[in-house]
């Protein structure tokens, strides 16, 4: 069996639906960061809804470390994690995004750093080359007033594979809770990568990303892994779903879509009423 709808995921996981993000192709989005570059789209509104729902359950007085996870490869987990970080920043929170998926380092790529960037990051903090996270984080601006920090894997990213169960990284994440309101961690596919399991132990909670067409059985295996580790599952985001404006659009987004539809109708009307060249001798 494969996942056909958000209801299938809800039945398999028995977790709340945080947001249903429509496939970006429905709106012909040319960006993987709609919260930053396509803020009036239905996709960005769906992610903002998920971030607002998550924010209700975050602890007060101290920051929370939230991992974005998926069972396997190709569910759009990194895209969701990156946009969630931007959405939290738009809520005027102190936000840190951590690229901990060493296999692809796609989060770093999305924010303008090449594949396998050699800039200082997490590995350099653990090795002692840098003592203060402020020395190595990259600043990413979401708007004129909102921004968040990005922690790259670092110059020795491969060394991290055996460090996610160390005392040093546990202490680091404790410090990050004091420095930020929300730390969003892009976790590697849990059922495919060995170091994902010790990484889960560092988190206060996880958000599961599921997509249509994925095996339903993998969700059950993922939940068993989460239960074994003892990390709290906060809910799930259904990614690449159908475009359902009534579930994802704010009033402003609906007006925006109405204006686009009206302009399309006007263009078609103008094209239909365009004068046709005459073929008579008097023309």
């Amino acid at each position: 069996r494969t996942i056909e709808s958000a209801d299938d995921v809800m039945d398999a996981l028995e977790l709340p639906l945080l947001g249903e993000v429509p496939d970006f192709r429905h709106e012909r989005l040319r960006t993987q960061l709609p919260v930053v570059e396509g803020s009036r789209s239905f996709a960005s509104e769906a992610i903002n809804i998920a971030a607002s729902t998550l924010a209700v359950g975050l602890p007060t007085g101290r920051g929370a470390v939230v991992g974005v996870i998926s069972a396997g490869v190709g569910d759009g987990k990194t895209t969701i994690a990156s946009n969630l970080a931007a959405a939290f920043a738009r809520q005027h929170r102190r936000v840190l995004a951590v690229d901990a998926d060493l296999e692809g380092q796609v989060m770093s790529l999305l924010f303008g750093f090449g594949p396998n960037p050699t800039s200082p990051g997490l590995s350099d903090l653990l090795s002692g080359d840098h003592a203060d996270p402020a020395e190595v984080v990259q600043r990413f601006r979401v708007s004129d007033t909102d921004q968040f920090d990005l922690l790259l894997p670092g110059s020795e990213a491969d060394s991290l594979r055996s460090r996610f169960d160390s005392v040093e990284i546990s202490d680091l994440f404790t410090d990050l809770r004091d420095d930020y309101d929300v730390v969003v961690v892009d976790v590697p596919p849990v059922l495919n990568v060995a170091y994902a399991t010790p990484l889960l132990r560092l988190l206060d909670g996880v958000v599961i990303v599921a997509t249509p067409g994925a095996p339903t059985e993998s969700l059950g295996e993922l939940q068993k892994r989460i239960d074994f580790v003892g990390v709290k599952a906060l809910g799930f985001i259904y990614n690449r779903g159908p475009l359902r404006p009534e579930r994802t659009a704010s009033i402003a987004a609906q007006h925006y879509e109405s204006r686009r539809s009206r302009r399309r109708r006007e263009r078609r009307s103008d094209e239909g009423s365009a004068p046709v060249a005459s073929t008579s001798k008097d023309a």
Side-chain angles (χ1 to χ4, degrees), residues 67-116:
V68 181
I69 69 172
S70 65
V73 179
D75 291 332
K77 159 191 61 66
T78 301
T79 300
I80 294 298
S82 303
N83 281 279
L84 278 177
F88 281 128
R90 285 189 176 275
Q91 298 173 2
H92 311 300
R93 298 175 185 272
R94 297 173 302 162
V95 180
L96 174 68
V98 180
D99 186 354
D101 188 350
L102 310 178
E103 309 310 306
Q105 301 183 29
V106 178
M107 176 179 275
S108 301
L109 192 63
L110 284 179
F111 290 120
F113 297 88
N116 302 310

Side-chain angles (χ1 to χ4, degrees), residues 97-99 107-108 113 117-123 136-138 150-154 160:
V98 180
D99 186 354
M107 176 179 275
S108 301
F113 297 88
T118 56
S119 302
L122 182 56
S123 64
V136 300
V137 295
Q138 308 291 331
L150 171 65
L151 186 58
L152 301 172
L160 290 173

Side-chain angles (χ1 to χ4, degrees), residues 250-267:
S250 65
I251 293 175
Q254 289 185 20
H255 287 175
Y256 172 73
E257 178 63 20
S258 297
R259 289 195 298 272
R260 289 208 312 171
S261 299
R262 185 170 63 251
R263 286 195 294 267
R264 285 196 295 266
R265 289 196 299 270
E266 290 172 351
R267 284 197 298 269

Side-chain angles (χ1 to χ4, degrees), residues 4 16 22 36 58 78 93 102 118 174 240 256 278 281:
E4 302 296 337
V36 179
L58 295 179
T78 301
R93 298 175 185 272
L102 310 178
T118 56
T174 297
R240 300 182 189 139
Y256 172 73
S278 173
K281 296 180 180 180

Side-chain angles (χ1 to χ4, degrees), residues 35-36 47-48 51-52 54-55 58 62-68 80-99 107 111 133-134 136-143 145-152 175-186:
V35 173
V36 179
I47 296 169
N48 284 322
S52 298
L54 276 170
L58 295 179
R62 195 181 187 202
V65 180
V66 178
V68 181
I80 294 298
S82 303
N83 281 279
L84 278 177
F88 281 128
R90 285 189 176 275
Q91 298 173 2
H92 311 300
R93 298 175 185 272
R94 297 173 302 162
V95 180
L96 174 68
V98 180
D99 186 354
M107 176 179 275
F111 290 120
V136 300
V137 295
Q138 308 291 331
R139 188 64 49 83
F140 190 85
R141 186 165 293 280
V142 178
S143 67
T145 57
D146 303 313
Q147 59 190 14
F148 67 90
D149 291 342
L150 171 65
L151 186 58
L152 301 172
D175 293 339
L176 293 177
R177 289 180 178 89
D178 295 328
D179 296 337
Y180 295 94
D181 299 320
V182 188
V183 179
V184 179
V185 182
D186 183 23

Side-chain angles (χ1 to χ4, degrees), residues 3-11 17 20 236 238 244:
I3 299 168
E4 302 296 337
S5 68
D7 291 336
D8 291 341
V9 184
M10 194 177 302
D11 291 341
L17 171 64
E20 186 173 326
F236 74 93
Y238 188 63
R244 296 199 280 183

